[in-house]
Amino acid sequence: MRYSFEFRPYQRKFKRSLLTSHGRWEVREGIILRLTDQTGQVGWGEIAPIAWFGSETLQEARDFCASLPEEITATKIFSIPSQLPACQFGFESAWEGLARQTSKVIPPQSFPFNGKDLFPTPVNRKNLSFSCSTHTYSYLLPTGEAAMQAWQEPWNQGSCTFKWKIGVSPIAEELRSFQQLTQALPAGTKLRLDANGGLTLKEAEQWLQAADQAGMIEFIEQPLPPEQFHRMLGLSAEYATPLALDESVATLRQLEACYQRGWRGIFVIKVAIAGSPKCLRQFCDRTPIDAVFSSVFETAIGKQAALNLAAELSQNDRAVGFGVDDWFDEDKETWLEQLWKHP
Ligand SMILES: [Mg+2]
Protein backbone atom coordinates (compact mmCIF):
# COMPACT_ATOMS: atom_id res chain seq x y z
CA MET A 1 0.00 0.00 0.00
CA ARG A 2 1.23 3.46 -0.90
CA TYR A 3 0.22 6.62 0.93
CA SER A 4 0.40 10.14 -0.32
CA PHE A 5 2.30 12.27 2.14
CA GLU A 6 2.07 15.98 2.96
CA PHE A 7 3.35 18.04 5.84
CA ARG A 8 3.02 21.53 7.30
CA PRO A 9 5.24 23.20 9.90
CA TYR A 10 3.41 24.96 12.74
CA GLN A 11 4.22 27.41 15.54
CA ARG A 12 2.32 27.88 18.79
CA LYS A 13 3.27 30.60 21.21
CA PHE A 14 3.06 29.82 24.91
CA LYS A 15 0.69 32.17 26.74
CA ARG A 16 3.46 32.71 29.25
CA SER A 17 6.95 31.42 28.63
CA LEU A 18 7.83 28.12 30.27
CA LEU A 19 10.76 28.45 32.62
CA THR A 20 12.84 25.35 33.38
CA SER A 21 16.43 24.81 34.39
CA HIS A 22 17.14 24.49 30.63
CA GLY A 23 16.01 28.08 30.11
CA ARG A 24 12.98 29.88 28.76
CA TRP A 25 10.67 28.36 26.15
CA GLU A 26 8.49 30.81 24.20
CA VAL A 27 7.23 29.08 21.06
CA ARG A 28 6.42 25.43 20.43
CA GLU A 29 7.29 24.53 16.84
CA GLY A 30 6.61 21.27 15.10
CA ILE A 31 5.22 19.59 12.01
CA ILE A 32 1.79 18.16 11.23
CA LEU A 33 1.76 15.41 8.64
CA ARG A 34 -0.98 13.74 6.68
CA LEU A 35 -1.07 10.35 5.03
CA THR A 36 -3.82 9.57 2.54
CA ASP A 37 -4.43 6.06 1.27
CA GLN A 38 -5.71 5.08 -2.15
CA THR A 39 -9.33 5.12 -0.96
CA GLY A 40 -9.03 8.69 0.30
CA GLN A 41 -8.86 7.89 4.01
CA VAL A 42 -6.50 10.15 5.95
CA GLY A 43 -4.27 9.67 8.97
CA TRP A 44 -2.76 12.60 10.87
CA GLY A 45 0.51 12.67 12.74
CA GLU A 46 2.60 15.19 14.62
CA ILE A 47 6.35 15.60 14.87
CA ALA A 48 7.08 17.63 18.00
CA PRO A 49 10.82 17.50 18.67
CA ILE A 50 12.59 18.92 21.72
CA ALA A 51 16.22 19.00 20.68
CA TRP A 52 17.48 20.24 24.07
CA PHE A 53 15.84 17.21 25.58
CA GLY A 54 17.50 14.69 23.31
CA SER A 55 15.34 14.33 20.22
CA GLU A 56 16.29 15.40 16.71
CA THR A 57 16.10 19.12 15.94
CA LEU A 58 13.15 20.66 14.17
CA GLN A 59 15.41 21.31 11.19
CA GLU A 60 16.43 17.63 11.02
CA ALA A 61 12.77 16.65 11.11
CA ARG A 62 11.94 19.15 8.37
CA ASP A 63 14.84 17.97 6.25
CA PHE A 64 13.67 14.39 6.64
CA CYS A 65 10.11 15.27 5.61
CA ALA A 66 11.37 17.30 2.67
CA SER A 67 13.56 14.40 1.54
CA LEU A 68 10.59 12.04 1.17
CA PRO A 69 8.73 11.52 -2.09
CA GLU A 70 5.06 12.43 -2.41
CA GLU A 71 4.13 8.80 -1.94
CA ILE A 72 5.54 6.57 0.79
CA THR A 73 5.02 3.00 1.98
CA ALA A 74 4.54 1.41 5.41
CA THR A 75 7.98 -0.16 4.97
CA LYS A 76 9.47 3.31 4.72
CA ILE A 77 7.52 4.48 7.80
CA PHE A 78 8.67 1.56 9.93
CA SER A 79 12.28 1.98 8.87
CA ILE A 80 12.76 5.60 9.96
CA PRO A 81 16.09 5.60 11.83
CA SER A 82 16.10 5.89 15.62
CA GLN A 83 18.11 9.13 15.35
CA LEU A 84 14.78 10.68 14.34
CA PRO A 85 12.58 9.59 17.28
CA ALA A 86 9.97 12.38 16.95
CA CYS A 87 9.63 11.52 13.24
CA GLN A 88 9.20 7.84 14.10
CA PHE A 89 6.35 8.78 16.44
CA GLY A 90 4.70 11.19 14.01
CA PHE A 91 4.71 8.86 11.01
CA GLU A 92 3.80 5.68 12.88
CA SER A 93 0.94 7.35 14.71
CA ALA A 94 -0.44 8.75 11.45
CA TRP A 95 -0.21 5.27 9.97
CA GLU A 96 -1.93 3.78 13.02
CA GLY A 97 -4.68 6.39 12.81
CA LEU A 98 -5.28 5.32 9.23
CA ALA A 99 -5.20 1.65 10.12
CA ARG A 100 -7.76 2.27 12.84
CA GLN A 101 -10.07 4.03 10.38
CA THR A 102 -9.78 1.41 7.72
CA SER A 103 -10.81 -1.14 10.33
CA LYS A 104 -14.09 0.85 10.19
CA VAL A 105 -14.05 2.05 13.78
CA ILE A 106 -13.94 5.75 12.99
CA PRO A 107 -15.83 7.43 10.14
CA PRO A 108 -13.55 9.29 7.72
CA GLN A 109 -13.18 13.02 8.25
CA SER A 110 -10.88 15.42 6.50
CA PHE A 111 -10.15 17.60 9.52
CA PRO A 112 -11.16 15.65 12.60
CA PHE A 113 -9.25 17.57 15.25
CA ASN A 114 -10.42 20.78 16.78
CA GLY A 115 -9.29 22.66 19.85
CA LYS A 116 -11.88 21.05 22.08
CA ASP A 117 -11.49 17.54 20.77
CA LEU A 118 -8.82 16.58 23.26
CA PHE A 119 -10.20 13.48 24.84
CA PRO A 120 -9.00 10.28 23.29
CA THR A 121 -10.81 7.15 22.48
CA PRO A 122 -8.49 4.75 24.25
CA VAL A 123 -7.24 1.80 22.30
CA ASN A 124 -6.65 -0.61 25.08
CA ARG A 125 -5.15 -3.96 24.35
CA LYS A 126 -5.17 -5.03 27.95
CA ASN A 127 -8.74 -4.01 28.67
CA LEU A 128 -7.59 -1.77 31.47
CA SER A 129 -9.99 1.03 32.15
CA PHE A 130 -8.48 4.43 31.56
CA SER A 131 -10.37 7.54 32.39
CA CYS A 132 -9.24 10.77 30.83
CA SER A 133 -11.17 13.01 33.19
CA THR A 134 -9.12 15.79 34.68
CA HIS A 135 -8.22 13.96 37.86
CA THR A 136 -5.96 11.57 35.97
CA TYR A 137 -3.96 14.49 34.57
CA SER A 138 -1.00 15.96 36.35
CA TYR A 139 -1.43 19.71 36.20
CA LEU A 140 1.71 21.72 35.51
CA LEU A 141 1.98 24.69 37.87
CA PRO A 142 3.88 27.84 36.93
CA THR A 143 7.43 28.01 38.29
CA GLY A 144 8.13 29.81 41.56
CA GLU A 145 5.73 31.87 43.65
CA ALA A 146 3.08 31.97 40.92
CA ALA A 147 2.23 28.38 41.87
CA MET A 148 0.70 29.54 45.17
CA GLN A 149 -2.51 30.70 43.51
CA ALA A 150 -2.40 28.62 40.34
CA TRP A 151 -3.30 25.26 41.91
CA GLN A 152 -6.68 26.39 43.19
CA GLU A 153 -8.73 26.49 40.04
CA PRO A 154 -7.62 23.12 38.68
CA TRP A 155 -8.03 21.66 42.17
CA ASN A 156 -11.62 22.92 42.26
CA GLN A 157 -12.11 21.20 38.92
CA GLY A 158 -10.90 17.87 40.24
CA SER A 159 -7.13 17.84 39.68
CA CYS A 160 -5.28 16.26 42.56
CA THR A 161 -1.82 15.78 41.03
CA PHE A 162 0.37 18.81 40.38
CA LYS A 163 3.83 19.31 39.04
CA TRP A 164 6.17 22.12 39.96
CA LYS A 165 9.54 22.99 38.42
CA ILE A 166 12.47 23.36 40.79
CA GLY A 167 16.17 24.11 40.29
CA VAL A 168 15.39 27.46 38.71
CA SER A 169 16.02 29.94 41.56
CA PRO A 170 18.40 29.78 44.55
CA ILE A 171 17.55 26.72 46.63
CA ALA A 172 16.86 28.56 49.90
CA GLU A 173 14.23 30.65 48.13
CA GLU A 174 12.68 27.61 46.46
CA LEU A 175 12.57 25.61 49.67
CA ARG A 176 10.72 28.49 51.34
CA SER A 177 8.16 28.56 48.52
CA PHE A 178 7.95 24.78 48.72
CA GLN A 179 7.05 24.91 52.42
CA GLN A 180 4.30 27.40 51.66
CA LEU A 181 3.02 25.39 48.73
CA THR A 182 2.89 22.08 50.58
CA GLN A 183 1.15 23.73 53.52
CA ALA A 184 -1.42 25.30 51.22
CA LEU A 185 -2.18 22.19 49.15
CA PRO A 186 -5.12 20.18 50.51
CA ALA A 187 -4.59 16.75 52.05
CA GLY A 188 -4.64 14.01 49.46
CA THR A 189 -2.89 16.14 46.85
CA LYS A 190 0.14 14.67 45.13
CA LEU A 191 2.96 16.95 44.10
CA ARG A 192 5.68 16.10 41.59
CA LEU A 193 8.89 18.11 41.67
CA ASP A 194 10.81 18.41 38.42
CA ALA A 195 14.40 19.59 38.60
CA ASN A 196 15.17 19.00 34.91
CA GLY A 197 18.63 17.78 35.95
CA GLY A 198 19.47 21.18 37.41
CA LEU A 199 20.49 20.33 40.99
CA THR A 200 23.87 19.62 42.56
CA LEU A 201 24.19 16.46 44.65
CA LYS A 202 23.97 18.51 47.84
CA GLU A 203 20.85 20.31 46.62
CA ALA A 204 19.28 17.03 45.57
CA GLU A 205 19.82 15.73 49.09
CA GLN A 206 18.26 18.87 50.56
CA TRP A 207 15.24 18.48 48.31
CA LEU A 208 14.88 14.80 49.12
CA GLN A 209 14.98 15.55 52.85
CA ALA A 210 12.33 18.24 52.40
CA ALA A 211 10.25 15.92 50.23
CA ASP A 212 10.44 13.06 52.75
CA GLN A 213 9.23 15.46 55.45
CA ALA A 214 6.42 16.93 53.36
CA GLY A 215 4.89 13.52 52.76
CA MET A 216 2.86 14.52 49.69
CA ILE A 217 5.61 14.26 47.10
CA GLU A 218 4.83 11.58 44.53
CA PHE A 219 8.36 11.77 43.14
CA ILE A 220 11.25 14.06 42.29
CA GLU A 221 11.96 14.07 38.61
CA GLN A 222 15.51 14.08 37.26
CA PRO A 223 17.34 15.75 40.16
CA LEU A 224 20.77 15.44 38.52
CA PRO A 225 21.92 15.58 34.90
CA PRO A 226 21.88 12.29 32.94
CA GLU A 227 25.65 11.76 33.21
CA GLN A 228 25.24 11.41 37.00
CA PHE A 229 23.16 8.26 36.69
CA HIS A 230 24.98 6.37 39.45
CA ARG A 231 24.45 9.19 41.92
CA MET A 232 20.72 9.12 41.20
CA LEU A 233 20.72 5.36 41.63
CA GLY A 234 22.37 5.90 45.03
CA LEU A 235 19.91 8.62 46.05
CA SER A 236 16.97 6.45 45.05
CA ALA A 237 18.09 3.87 47.62
CA GLU A 238 18.66 6.42 50.40
CA TYR A 239 15.39 8.34 50.56
CA ALA A 240 11.74 7.43 50.85
CA THR A 241 10.58 9.82 48.11
CA PRO A 242 10.83 8.01 44.76
CA LEU A 243 12.92 9.41 41.93
CA ALA A 244 11.88 9.52 38.30
CA LEU A 245 14.19 9.70 35.31
CA ASP A 246 13.14 12.01 32.50
CA GLU A 247 16.04 13.69 30.64
CA SER A 248 18.00 10.43 31.15
CA VAL A 249 15.38 8.49 29.22
CA ALA A 250 14.32 10.88 26.46
CA THR A 251 14.33 8.12 23.87
CA LEU A 252 13.52 4.44 24.00
CA ARG A 253 17.18 3.53 23.47
CA GLN A 254 18.15 5.53 26.57
CA LEU A 255 15.28 4.02 28.52
CA GLU A 256 16.45 0.51 27.70
CA ALA A 257 20.01 1.44 28.68
CA CYS A 258 18.95 2.84 32.09
CA TYR A 259 16.87 -0.25 32.77
CA GLN A 260 19.87 -2.45 31.92
CA ARG A 261 22.01 -0.39 34.29
CA GLY A 262 19.65 -1.16 37.14
CA TRP A 263 17.09 1.65 37.32
CA ARG A 264 13.89 0.34 38.93
CA GLY A 265 12.43 3.71 39.90
CA ILE A 266 9.99 5.65 37.78
CA PHE A 267 10.53 6.35 34.08
CA VAL A 268 8.95 9.43 32.50
CA ILE A 269 8.06 8.61 28.93
CA LYS A 270 7.52 11.54 26.61
CA VAL A 271 5.77 9.46 24.04
CA ALA A 272 6.06 11.97 21.20
CA ILE A 273 9.86 11.98 21.33
CA ALA A 274 10.48 8.47 22.68
CA GLY A 275 10.65 6.96 19.20
CA SER A 276 8.75 4.19 17.45
CA PRO A 277 5.42 3.38 19.19
CA LYS A 278 5.77 -0.17 17.85
CA CYS A 279 9.16 -0.62 19.56
CA LEU A 280 7.91 1.07 22.75
CA ARG A 281 5.05 -1.45 22.92
CA GLN A 282 7.47 -4.32 22.44
CA PHE A 283 9.71 -2.99 25.23
CA CYS A 284 6.83 -2.42 27.66
CA ASP A 285 5.41 -5.85 26.90
CA ARG A 286 8.60 -7.62 27.95
CA THR A 287 9.71 -5.19 30.69
CA PRO A 288 7.34 -4.23 33.50
CA ILE A 289 8.36 -0.66 34.31
CA ASP A 290 6.78 2.01 36.48
CA ALA A 291 6.07 4.65 33.85
CA VAL A 292 4.58 8.13 33.83
CA PHE A 293 3.50 9.31 30.40
CA SER A 294 4.09 12.92 29.67
CA SER A 295 3.36 15.68 27.19
CA VAL A 296 5.85 17.60 25.09
CA PHE A 297 3.38 20.46 24.54
CA GLU A 298 2.12 18.88 21.36
CA THR A 299 -1.14 19.84 19.59
CA ALA A 300 -4.35 17.82 19.84
CA ILE A 301 -3.04 15.51 17.11
CA GLY A 302 0.11 14.38 18.91
CA LYS A 303 -1.71 14.45 22.21
CA GLN A 304 -4.41 12.07 21.06
CA ALA A 305 -1.87 9.58 19.71
CA ALA A 306 0.26 9.88 22.86
CA LEU A 307 -2.71 9.40 25.19
CA ASN A 308 -3.87 6.38 23.23
CA LEU A 309 -0.47 4.83 23.69
CA ALA A 310 -0.35 5.83 27.37
CA ALA A 311 -3.73 4.18 27.95
CA GLU A 312 -2.51 1.06 26.27
CA LEU A 313 0.81 0.82 28.10
CA SER A 314 0.03 2.16 31.60
CA GLN A 315 0.69 -0.44 34.26
CA ASN A 316 -0.28 1.70 37.24
CA ASP A 317 -2.54 4.52 38.27
CA ARG A 318 -0.14 7.38 37.90
CA ALA A 319 -1.64 10.56 36.46
CA VAL A 320 -0.52 11.37 32.94
CA GLY A 321 1.49 14.56 32.51
CA PHE A 322 -0.82 16.19 30.01
CA GLY A 323 -2.38 18.90 32.16
CA VAL A 324 -0.86 21.67 30.07
CA ASP A 325 -3.74 22.98 27.94
CA ASP A 326 -3.86 26.36 29.59
CA TRP A 327 -0.25 27.06 28.63
CA PHE A 328 -1.64 27.94 25.22
CA ASP A 329 -4.62 29.94 23.99
CA GLU A 330 -7.39 27.59 23.05
CA ASP A 331 -7.09 26.45 19.45
CA LYS A 332 -9.80 27.55 17.08
CA GLU A 333 -11.89 24.64 15.84
CA THR A 334 -10.57 25.27 12.35
CA TRP A 335 -6.86 25.51 13.28
CA LEU A 336 -5.90 22.41 11.34
CA GLU A 337 -7.86 23.33 8.27
CA GLN A 338 -6.31 26.79 8.35
CA LEU A 339 -2.82 25.37 8.78
CA TRP A 340 -3.40 23.10 5.84
CA LYS A 341 -4.83 25.64 3.49
CA HIS A 342 -2.78 28.66 4.53
CA PRO A 343 0.52 27.35 5.90
MG1 LIG B 1 10.69 16.46 33.44
Side-chain angles (χ1 to χ4, degrees), residues 233 236 242-245 259 262-268 289-291 318:
L233 203 56
S236 70
L243 292 183
L245 295 183
Y259 186 85
W263 188 261
R264 296 297 180 271
I266 299 159
F267 294 86
V268 177
I289 56 167
D290 188 354
R318 295 194 189 276

Side-chain angles (χ1 to χ4, degrees), residues 53 163 165 194 196 221-222 246-247 268 270:
F53 208 93
K163 176 159 155 173
K165 297 283 186 185
D194 188 1
N196 287 109
E221 202 169 308
Q222 195 77 36
D246 188 7
E247 277 83 348
V268 177
K270 289 178 155 50

Side-chain angles (χ1 to χ4, degrees), residues 18-32:
L18 177 66
L19 193 60
T20 77
S21 73
H22 296 286
R24 200 173 275 279
W25 197 5
E26 310 272 2
V27 181
R28 203 312 158 231
E29 292 184 275
I31 295 166
I32 303 293

Side-chain angles (χ1 to χ4, degrees), residues 158-178:
S159 293
C160 50
T161 303
F162 296 92
K163 176 159 155 173
W164 193 50
K165 297 283 186 185
I166 60 170
V168 180
S169 303
I171 187 164
E173 206 178 291
E174 287 191 342
L175 283 170
R176 269 197 305 277
S177 301
F178 173 72

